[in-house]
Amino acid sequence: MVSSVAELITEKIDSMPAGERRAAQTLIASYPVVGLKTVAEFSQQAGVSSPTILRFVARLGFQNYAEFQSALQDELAAQLQSPASRTTTPLSPLPASSAPMLEAVLENIRETFRHISERQMADVVAQLANQRSHIYLIGGRFTDPLARYMAAHLNLIRPNVTHLVGQESLWRDRLIDMNKRDTLLIFDIRRYQDSLIRFAEKAHQRGTTIVLFTDQWLSPIARFARHVIAGRTAVPSAWDSSSALFVTVETLIGTLTRKLEAEGARRIREIEDLR
């Protein structure tokens, strides 16, 4: 699978001049809709010149604006695919082994980490290491196990970690406790969950820092997020795979554990003594 436009931006944004960086940030904030507008409309929304938009598109490796928009249109079509549509799509004959699925998952992991910069990971770890911040985690129908898994580990090495579960009304009740000091980790992959989008918007309005874990096509929650971790999810199946995001979560947990080594070890010992 070719790199998504969002992945290309993640690769190159640190080397972009200020104007192109504004174009990139504007696109991510309304992905991919802004990129489907005319050059003039895109430039106006980003507050940069039309030539800057064209230089931004060229930096991403596209020959022209039409090619850039064609890539975004393909991504939009992929965003809207459901398991039902992927089930009805003609598939190749069943392989004799699980190798194609395994190779797809391994490739997803490799490509995910190729597009996530060390700086991006370090920024997220620094956010999670701030023990004055209360951390909330939530996921969707298929991604909430990732939130639960990460919360279980974070609870062992730092205080003030809450996994939001149950009905949407229960999540909303917790908004009253969220403020600018807090961090909300959200897991959302296609087809993006409307209730999570609404919740993210409310949390954003309260000033809560949002870290989004999503797929290469980007959940609409990206427009509210301070940090966006995009993992590859497509595999030769009716169902998307969360394996790459799971490995990303484990990498963050391991790095954070090392960063909080003294505090985490002391907390774990106290937890063990209480059992």
Side-chain angles (χ1 to χ4, degrees), residues 4-228:
S4 69
V5 173
E7 289 173 329
L8 294 173
I9 289 172
T10 301
E11 279 182 25
K12 300 176 184 295
I13 193 168
D14 288 341
S15 63
M16 290 179 184
E20 292 178 30
R21 193 176 300 116
R22 283 199 298 275
Q25 292 165 343
T26 300
L27 177 56
I28 292 299
S30 298
Y31 194 84
V33 177
V34 171
L36 297 175
K37 296 182 177 182
T38 66
V39 174
E41 290 171 327
F42 189 173
S43 66
Q44 182 178 17
Q45 189 160 340
V48 299
S49 67
S50 293
T52 298
I53 297 297
L54 296 177
R55 286 193 295 271
F56 162 68
V57 167
R59 188 179 297 274
L60 296 181
F62 296 100
Q63 296 299 313
N64 51 53
Y65 197 70
E67 185 181 38
F68 165 74
Q69 288 195 314
S70 178
L72 289 177
Q73 288 166 351
D74 290 343
E75 289 184 31
L76 184 58
Q79 271 189 0
L80 299 175
Q81 284 184 353
S82 67
S85 66
R86 294 196 290 277
T87 301
T88 56
T89 301
L91 300 173
S92 57
L94 276 176
S97 72
S98 59
M101 183 69 172
L102 175 60
E103 283 303 315
V105 169
L106 292 175
E107 182 66 10
N108 281 348
I109 295 171
R110 282 191 290 265
E111 285 298 301
T112 294
F113 280 86
R114 187 169 73 85
H115 291 98
I116 299 175
S117 69
E118 290 185 11
R119 177 180 174 182
Q120 190 176 15
M121 294 290 278
D123 287 346
V124 173
V125 169
Q127 186 72 36
L128 299 179
N130 178 8
Q131 298 189 52
R132 289 175 297 179
S133 168
H134 196 124
I135 296 178
Y136 298 88
L137 302 94
I138 193 169
R141 180 181 180 186
F142 293 109
T143 54
D144 195 57
L146 290 167
R148 183 170 64 249
Y149 180 84
M150 191 170 190
H153 284 80
L154 295 185
N155 265 309
L156 291 174
I157 60 174
R158 55 151 295 158
N160 301 320
V161 177
T162 301
H163 175 214
L164 299 171
V165 296
Q167 298 178 353
E168 184 182 354
S169 59
L170 298 177
W171 315 342
R172 290 200 302 268
D173 289 347
R174 298 308 301 268
L175 284 167
I176 190 65
D177 298 321
M178 295 186 189
N179 56 49
K180 294 178 180 180
R181 294 190 303 272
D182 299 331
T183 303
L184 172 62
L185 278 61
I186 305 182
F187 296 79
D188 188 36
I189 63 176
R190 69 175 183 183
R191 305 161 69 192
Y192 311 113
Q193 193 165 312
D194 289 340
S195 57
L196 289 180
I197 297 168
R198 291 192 297 269
F199 185 73
E201 183 175 13
K202 292 291 186 182
H204 174 70
Q205 289 169 354
R206 295 185 65 81
T208 304
T209 297
I210 295 175
V211 180
L212 171 65
F213 295 81
T214 185
D215 50 32
Q216 63 266 43
W217 304 291
L218 301 192
S219 162
I221 293 170
R223 65 179 177 266
F224 308 122
R226 173 87 53 88
H227 306 286
V228 178

